[in-house]
Amino acid sequence: MNTGPWEWTLPTTLTVIGLAITLAIAIAGWVMTAIKDSRNAKAAREKYEADVRRADEMNATLKSQLEAARESAEALRAQVEQFKEANRIADDANPFTSVPWGDAEWTRHGSRFTIRNKSSRNVVVVNLSASDERLDGLMHFDQQPPFTCEPNSRISYLALGTMQTGTPDAVIEWHWDGSDEIRTTVRQNIK
């Protein structure tokens, strides 16, 4: 058997060539993966930087909104203080010791009368009646107590009378809104 010089090296050469091709393919795969990873890393870095910029912008917006809310809260606190001062001035001008009810006013319609809350405060009406309980049937009020009578509101009623008794006086039992001290006021019904 005559063998040529390459015959004994051919299998080894083919194996070496196969290993070289495998190594080249592996290196190409590593290079392609590295390039792809580099691109992905660059895209991720750009996305991260964009997210950071958006977060910074949102942070700045939230800080400005917070500052505006603080300024608004401070303005509201100032208004509350002004309202407290206005209430104090109103309370000083209209002390709890005063009587809120004006005189009974004839409405010029039969025996109809009204009594107005002349104060600047709410008054809680606890009871309405005639000055003489025997004449209670001659008094007919438009509202049934208890109710709150606001400033400048009126209590309207019908006060019937006879020649012997006259018209009964209106009795209002009341207290200031926010106070529990019940007071009584009597108003005469004069036409």
Side-chain angles (χ1 to χ4, degrees):
M1 252 190 161
N2 206 1
T3 59
W6 289 105
E7 284 183 25
W8 67 271
T9 58
L10 184 60
T12 308
T13 304
L14 289 176
T15 303
V16 169
I17 290 172
L19 287 174
I21 291 174
T22 303
L23 183 61
I25 291 173
I27 290 172
W30 292 336
V31 169
M32 288 173 34
T33 302
I35 291 171
K36 182 180 175 184
D37 288 347
S38 174
R39 287 181 185 158
N40 287 344
K42 183 179 177 182
R45 185 173 38 257
E46 288 172 355
K47 182 181 182 313
Y48 169 77
E49 289 170 355
D51 288 347
V52 166
R53 280 192 301 277
R54 271 197 303 275
D56 288 343
E57 291 170 1
M58 186 177 280
N59 236 356
T61 301
L62 290 174
K63 282 181 182 178
S64 67
Q65 288 176 348
L66 178 62
E67 187 58 34
R70 283 183 182 151
E71 290 172 4
S72 178
E74 193 57 40
L76 288 173
R77 278 190 202 99
Q79 283 182 342
V80 166
E81 290 304 317
Q82 289 174 348
F83 286 136
K84 284 181 182 177
E85 181 62 16
N87 284 342
R88 186 194 61 75
I89 291 169
D91 288 346
D92 290 348
N94 191 13
F96 278 121
T97 57
S98 66
V99 174
W101 306 111
D103 291 331
E105 300 171 13
W106 179 46
T107 63
R108 303 197 185 281
H109 295 101
S111 297
R112 205 151 218 0
F113 294 89
T114 61
I115 299 173
R116 187 168 60 96
N117 176 1
K118 290 187 172 188
S119 73
S120 61
R121 294 190 181 140
N122 287 345
V123 177
V124 178
V125 177
V126 178
N127 189 30
L128 295 168
S129 62
S131 56
D132 185 345
E133 58 186 50
R134 294 174 297 167
L135 303 176
D136 262 347
L138 300 176
M139 301 284 290
H140 301 284
F141 294 93
D142 287 354
Q143 292 177 286
Q144 294 302 313
F147 62 89
T148 300
C149 189
E150 296 178 351
N152 292 319
S153 293
R154 298 175 185 263
I155 298 173
S156 298
Y157 58 96
L158 185 64
L160 303 172
T162 65
M163 293 296 277
Q164 294 83 13
T165 63
T167 53
D169 297 334
V171 177
I172 306 169
E173 292 181 43
W174 59 277
H175 64 82
W176 294 108
D177 192 16
S179 170
D180 292 331
E181 182 184 346
I182 295 179
R183 301 167 187 224
T184 302
T185 300
V186 178
R187 292 294 183 248
Q188 291 183 336
N189 304 312
I190 302 171
K191 291 184 182 180

